[in-house]
Amino acid sequence: MPVLQCPIDGCNWKSQDLDEAFAAALTTALQIHDRTVHPPLAQPSTHKLKLDPPSIATGCDPDQWSAFTRQWKMYKTGMAITDNVLPTALFYCCDTNLRTDIMRDLQGDVASMLETDLLKAVKRLAVKEESTLVQRIKLNRMTQSPGSNIRTFLASLRGQASLCQYKATCKELGCNHIFDYSDEIIKDNLVRGIADPEIMSDLLGDSKTDRTLEETVSFIAQKEQGKVTRSAVGDSASAMSATCNTQKRPQAAGAKCWACGGPLMDRGMIARPDLDTVKLGH
């Protein structure tokens, strides 16, 4: 005689011995009940973005590697990359030479590696390690490129300063607080590296000397915007003056009307009133 069991996981209920016909009818009824009353939960739809993959190559510096890892995190989330293909997607973010180096360095199956292990391998082969002192020297040599605005220069300084470890630990007994003084160093290098000497003079000659980094950047940005506006207004005024001068220029001798082909009369002349017929000028 057949015995029916509860289909729910974790439930050990069993029926008594049943007649075969009754058991078959009961099983069919339970299946119908399960499909209509307890349908499977719908899986949440996955929204995938169309994004270009980040890229990494041999010889990058720590700042470039940091930017790559942040872009990779956003890329794998936006593209909804599943765990089984994630190592392959990461591998093909590397350029051709770096992929070759990885295959030589890792003799196992790259496609089955953990993401963290593959990232460590890529970093080991791609990033050229430099001491903190070298990074600080690079920061101190940075200057604003002509034509770029001050906030673009600030972003470059922040990226480089993140590699310089401008941090200090309090030496008071029992206090292990870590101070980050990057902003002060960035502000000093920002002022020193300003491309426009006129703006630098305005900043150094200003009576307010205790500005924060953001206040300093805002001050410089306003000066830059003022110079751009002044230049635009000056160009417009020059163009208007040139137009006026052209309009006041006397007509060349023998010039003809473009419409009828007749001679043009100088607008400064007055027609003689004793003429029987007056030929109107243009």
Side-chain angles (χ1 to χ4, degrees), residues 84 87-88 91 102-103 105-115 117-118:
N84 59 324
T88 302
F91 178 76
I102 293 172
M103 297 303 289
D105 183 61
L106 304 175
Q107 298 300 317
D109 183 9
V110 176
S112 61
M113 291 182 64
L114 295 175
E115 177 191 7
D117 293 340
L118 184 54

Side-chain angles (χ1 to χ4, degrees), residues 131-166:
S131 69
T132 302
L133 180 59
V134 172
Q135 301 297 347
R136 292 183 177 184
I137 292 174
K138 286 185 176 182
L139 177 67
N140 293 330
R141 291 178 177 175
M142 294 177 67
T143 56
Q144 182 184 11
S145 301
S148 67
N149 61 58
I150 195 63
R151 294 200 178 276
T152 301
F153 182 39
L154 174 63
S156 300
L157 289 172
R158 284 193 186 281
Q160 184 62 32
S162 65
L163 309 174
C164 297
Q165 297 297 318
Y166 286 119

Side-chain angles (χ1 to χ4, degrees), residues 3 7 28 71 83 86 98 109 111 119 158-159 176 270 275:
V3 175
T28 302
Q71 292 178 60
D83 292 341
L86 194 147
L98 182 54
D109 183 9
L119 277 171
R158 284 193 186 281
N176 295 318
I270 301 176
L275 294 177

Side-chain angles (χ1 to χ4, degrees), residues 5-14:
Q5 293 183 341
C6 179
I8 303 301
D9 292 338
C11 181
N12 299 321
W13 178 86
K14 293 182 181 181

Side-chain angles (χ1 to χ4, degrees), residues 1 29 72 95 124 165 189 208 217 229 233 254:
M1 302 291 285
W72 162 249
D95 73 346
R124 183 174 65 250
Q165 297 297 318
N189 283 278
K208 185 175 177 58
V217 172
T229 304
V233 172

Side-chain angles (χ1 to χ4, degrees), residues 2 4 18-33:
L4 297 182
L18 302 174
D19 179 74
E20 291 185 3
F22 177 72
L26 182 59
T27 301
T28 302
L30 288 174
Q31 290 174 347
I32 295 173
H33 171 79

Side-chain angles (χ1 to χ4, degrees), residues 203-222:
L203 179 62
L204 297 179
D206 192 80
S207 58
K208 185 175 177 58
T209 59
D210 59 346
R211 288 186 176 89
T212 64
L213 174 59
E214 183 55 36
E215 289 173 341
T216 302
V217 172
S218 297
F219 179 90
I220 299 170
Q222 290 175 359

